[in-house]
Structures are given as C-alpha cells and as structure tokens.
Amino acid sequence: MKKIYTALRLNFFFVIFASLFSNSAEASFKYKNTRVASLASDSTGLFVRIAIPTVKRYSCGAPIVIYMEGGWGAAGMLTSMFNMANYGFIVVEFNYPGGGNGAQKSGGIYDNRGPNSMLAARDVVRFALGQTTDKYGKFLGEYTGTKTPLYNNLGIIGGSNGGCNLLSLLGLYRNDLFPVAWVSFFESPIGDGMLTADPGKPFGKTVYINKNNAYNDSTGTYNWDLFKYEKDSVAYKNGSTTIKGLFYFDVNENGVFNRGIDYDLVGRYEAATLGASKKYYYSLQVIQHAYEKGIYPLVTTLNYQPNLIQTQSYWHLRSTEHFIDSFMTTMSNLKVLFMVRDSDHITSSLNHPEVVNAWNQFNDMGCNWFRVNSDKSYIEYIVGSSLPLAPDNNANTIVDNLSIRNMIMP
C-alpha cells in the first residue's frame, strides 16, 4: 500500500514536462471523441477528446489528467498535452461553449472564461470523475477499455490563464468536484494585477519590469504615490479600436508620461459579448487606487471605462485567488504543483509574485503539499539528459519574494 500511495502522490511531479519535453519519438495512445451534455451548451453538447494510453501507468489502472487551456480563447485543445498518455495517463481535453471547429465545435455561446465557461468545465470534470455519463449515456471507463480510470487520482492542469480559471472552477463547484486529488499550474498569473502584469510584463523581445521606485520586487509592494493618469494618452490600440485614458507609474517623477521610461499599466480589452458593451478593464487594485486618489469618478466617462463595481464583477471570475479559501475547506488534502521558469511569459518581475501569491493563499489554508517545480530527477528523465542548473525543491518549502529566485527553472 505504501508503495502505491507514494506513486500516486508523485504522479504530477513531471506532468507538464511529460507533455512539453517528452523524448518519446512515437505516440503510444489512441483518441476517443465524445460529447458531454451541459446547461452551458445547446443540444450539441461539449466536445471532449480522450487520449487513452496503450500501457496503463499502474497495475490497478490509469490516473486521469484534465487540461484547462491558457489564454482567452474558446478552444481548449493543446495537442502536445496528450503526450502524457505516453506515460500511462488518461488525458481529457475539451472545447469551451462555442469553441472548436467543424466536428470538434462545442455548442453554446462563449463568454470569455466567465460563468458559462466554468459551468462547462464543471460538467467535463464530473464526467472525468465518473460521476456522470456523457451525452450518449456512457461513463469514461467505457471508453478506456482495460485502462481502468483511477477516479481517486484525477488531477487538473491549468496552463497560464487556465490556472486562474481552475481556481474559479474549484471555488464555484467545490461540492461537485470531489475528489480532485491534485492541481498543477504553469506560470499562472494568480493574484490581483497579475493577469494585467502590473509588476512587470514582456515588452517586445525584451522584458519590461515595473522597477526602480515604482515596484519593489524584494517586498512585493508598489509605490502608489507615483500612480498617475493621463486622459488623452493611448492605453490600447488594435486595428480600428483606440482607447484613451492611461494609468501609469511616473518613474522619473516629472509629472508627464514618458513612454518607455515610465511604467504604463495595461488592461484587458473585452469586445461586446453576451449583450455587454466593450470595456477596457484595468486591474482591481488600479481602479481602487484611482478612486482613492480622486482620479475616478471621471468628469466625462467614456463607455469603455468601467467603474469600480463593473471592475469588481469582471475580475471576480478571472482574477481568482480569492476562491482558494472556499475550496480548500472541502479539499484539504489537495496537492499543488506550481511550474515556473526564470522569465515568466506574463508576470515577469524577478520575485515571481504570482507564485508567492499562490503559496501564501494555499499555505494559509493549511495545504499539506505545495511544491515549486518538479523533482529534478523526473525532469531529467523526461528530457533525457542531465540538467545541472535545474533546482531540486522540497515540498512545503517557504516561498517568498527572495527565496523564489533559487527555486525557478532555467
């Protein structure tokens, strides 16, 4: 029993690397397609693809992995993730309502990872947990043949923004998704201001960090005394869409926005969806400080500038660290793996505040297994070579703004 438990516990050490850096030359799995009924969809149902391993991971069966795609699109297939089936996992992916093309298109209307998307994800996870059948009355195990699904060893991977969606999913449906055993994040921008890269963002082919006297990467604090607004400066431009009204940190303290010197904050542009008008959403902390400094409410508000209530409502399901408290009360044994490189593709500040945010929240809620990056020996096994610079972190090692710098993957 101890041997089996140890194997189950260590499954997800190398899940991400198994998918992205596998040295297996030939796939050893097959696909099965199905559809899952959901109130988030129309009668077409949600498209689901299952990768079934040729060889199950354990004599008792195959662990299950569900992938939640990053970005903001409606399609949920990242085909390289199916390579995990080479290591004996049953892999489940799905397209959000309205996502996919042709025979893989899911029914329903896409809402940019809003409540409709989370309801769809819940219904797919319940199918993968063996709690419900698909649209055709079949359980997952009826598709996997002799590769018996280990429903008590199901994990969910959130790639980038998919990790934020994962937190929202578990928080909204914590009573429906027991027993999810583990979760894994890949550079997921967890925390207010992370999806908008308030502390630092990639800028072209270089990294543009909110530094100097505006953001302290040793303490994770901003200098809001330098927080400014210019109503006539362009904040966002894409094709025929131009949005003015720029928030920034006045790094050189000259009272005027100097692009490339001062740190211009960015928002999330949402075109009209599900009847809502287009909006440009800065992070919640930015808008809160705008009110505190008397910048908001504006004398003349343009229709794409949301107020505080609209901003809170938008980010509630998208900047989702606040959900950790709610689902950890019912998922106290959940194990957490956070994968991160030295230069994150979204929040590129040196202290990787998205990881620190996640650690603080999970640790405060009594998480008994939190680890930054996979075991070094597993990574070397997957890539097929020695990695002398790879860290070898222990689970439950304290993560803060300084220690994280020695825990990241080169």
Side-chain angles (χ1 to χ4, degrees):
M1 265 314 276
K2 184 177 179 182
K3 186 175 182 180
I4 293 175
Y5 173 76
T6 301
L8 294 175
R9 177 181 162 193
L10 300 180
N11 270 339
F12 58 98
F13 277 0
F14 64 97
V15 167
I16 293 288
F17 285 89
S19 64
L20 298 180
F21 305 110
S22 169
N23 58 6
S24 298
E26 184 176 337
S28 56
F29 57 88
K30 59 183 178 181
Y31 292 127
K32 292 284 187 178
N33 298 333
T34 187
R35 290 186 177 272
V36 168
S38 173
L39 291 176
S41 173
D42 56 25
S43 59
T44 308
L46 304 167
F47 178 80
V48 174
R49 172 161 278 191
I50 307 162
I52 304 163
T54 299
V55 178
K56 58 189 176 183
R57 187 167 180 81
Y58 307 119
S59 59
C60 56
I64 307 160
V65 175
I66 301 173
Y67 177 65
M68 295 185 71
E69 173 72 296
W72 295 85
M77 298 286 150
L78 185 63
T79 55
S80 64
M81 299 301 286
F82 289 124
N83 288 338
M84 288 181 293
N86 289 331
Y87 299 89
F89 293 88
I90 296 168
V91 184
V92 176
E93 295 193 10
F94 65 99
N95 287 327
Y96 288 99
N101 297 303
Q104 296 187 5
K105 187 176 180 64
S106 287
I109 299 174
Y110 185 56
D111 63 349
N112 296 332
R113 308 296 172 95
N116 211 40
S117 297
M118 295 307 100
L119 178 59
R122 182 206 68 171
D123 293 335
V124 172
V125 176
R126 292 194 69 206
F127 166 70
L129 279 169
Q131 296 175 350
T132 60
T133 64
D134 64 6
K135 182 182 173 184
Y136 311 107
K138 291 185 176 182
F139 288 100
L140 174 64
E142 295 181 66
Y143 289 99
T144 61
T146 59
K147 313 307 182 293
T148 304
L150 297 178
Y151 293 120
N152 65 344
N153 191 10
L154 178 145
I156 308 176
I157 297 174
S160 188
N161 184 36
C164 300
N165 306 146
L166 167 54
L167 295 178
S168 177
L169 168 69
L170 294 182
L172 288 172
Y173 299 111
R174 56 190 176 276
N175 294 322
D176 296 339
L177 301 181
F178 184 83
V180 171
W182 56 267
V183 293
S184 181
F185 304 94
F186 178 70
E187 297 187 8
S188 296
I190 295 171
D192 184 26
M194 299 299 107
L195 271 165
T196 51
D198 290 359
K201 58 180 179 287
F203 189 72
K205 293 184 178 180
T206 61
V207 174
Y208 185 37
I209 298 176
N210 186 2
K211 55 183 179 179
N212 297 331
N213 50 349
Y215 179 76
N216 187 331
D217 61 34
S218 295
T219 61
T221 57
Y222 301 85
N223 183 355
W224 293 103
D225 290 337
L226 302 181
F227 180 60
K228 305 290 182 184
Y229 176 76
E230 282 199 5
K231 66 181 180 66
D232 295 323
S233 290
V234 174
Y236 175 85
K237 184 175 178 61
N238 185 15
S240 61
T241 301
T242 299
I243 288 177
K244 293 184 177 181
L246 176 68
F247 287 104
Y248 68 101
F249 285 99
D250 187 14
V251 172
N252 60 10
E253 301 185 64
N254 67 353
V256 178
F257 174 63
N258 302 116
R259 196 174 295 276
I261 298 175
D262 295 324
Y263 190 82
D264 54 314
L265 292 155
V266 298
R268 169 69 190 167
Y269 175 71
E270 288 286 357
T273 55
L274 298 180
S277 61
K278 64 182 181 181
K279 299 288 183 184
Y280 189 67
Y281 293 95
Y282 282 101
S283 68
L284 181 57
Q285 65 179 357
V286 165
I287 299 304
Q288 286 174 328
H289 280 90
Y291 277 91
E292 291 174 7
K293 298 198 72 169
I295 298 169
Y296 270 30
L298 299 171
V299 175
T300 303
T301 303
L302 301 176
N303 63 358
Y304 53 71
Q305 294 175 314
N307 59 30
L308 180 59
I309 300 301
Q310 292 169 322
T311 302
Q312 289 173 326
S313 177
Y314 177 77
W315 287 118
H316 179 69
L317 285 180
R318 297 173 175 88
S319 180
T320 53
E321 72 283 358
H322 54 88
F323 281 115
I324 295 175
D325 290 359
S326 60
F327 68 74
M328 282 300 291
T329 59
T330 57
M331 299 182 179
S332 58
N333 291 323
L334 188 74
K335 294 178 174 58
V336 181
L337 176 69
F338 204 118
M339 307 295 291
V340 64
R341 297 174 295 181
D342 54 2
S343 181
D344 192 298
H345 71 295
I346 296 181
T347 49
S348 55
S349 185
L350 299 178
N351 58 328
H352 297 272
E354 74 287 358
V355 187
V356 177
N357 289 340
W359 158 260
N360 285 335
Q361 291 278 51
F362 278 107
N363 186 53
D364 287 348
M365 290 305 298
C367 178
N368 61 22
W369 204 98
F370 184 104
R371 180 169 178 158
V372 178
N373 286 327
S374 302
D375 187 272
K376 181 177 179 178
S377 63
Y378 278 95
I379 298 171
E380 291 177 330
Y381 165 69
I382 296 301
V383 301
S385 63
S386 174
L387 298 172
L389 297 181
D392 204 8
N393 308 317
N394 292 322
N396 303 327
T397 300
I398 293 174
V399 182
D400 58 35
N401 293 292
L402 298 179
S403 67
I404 185 62
R405 300 163 202 245
N406 297 318
M407 304 170 75
I408 54 182
M409 192 61 55

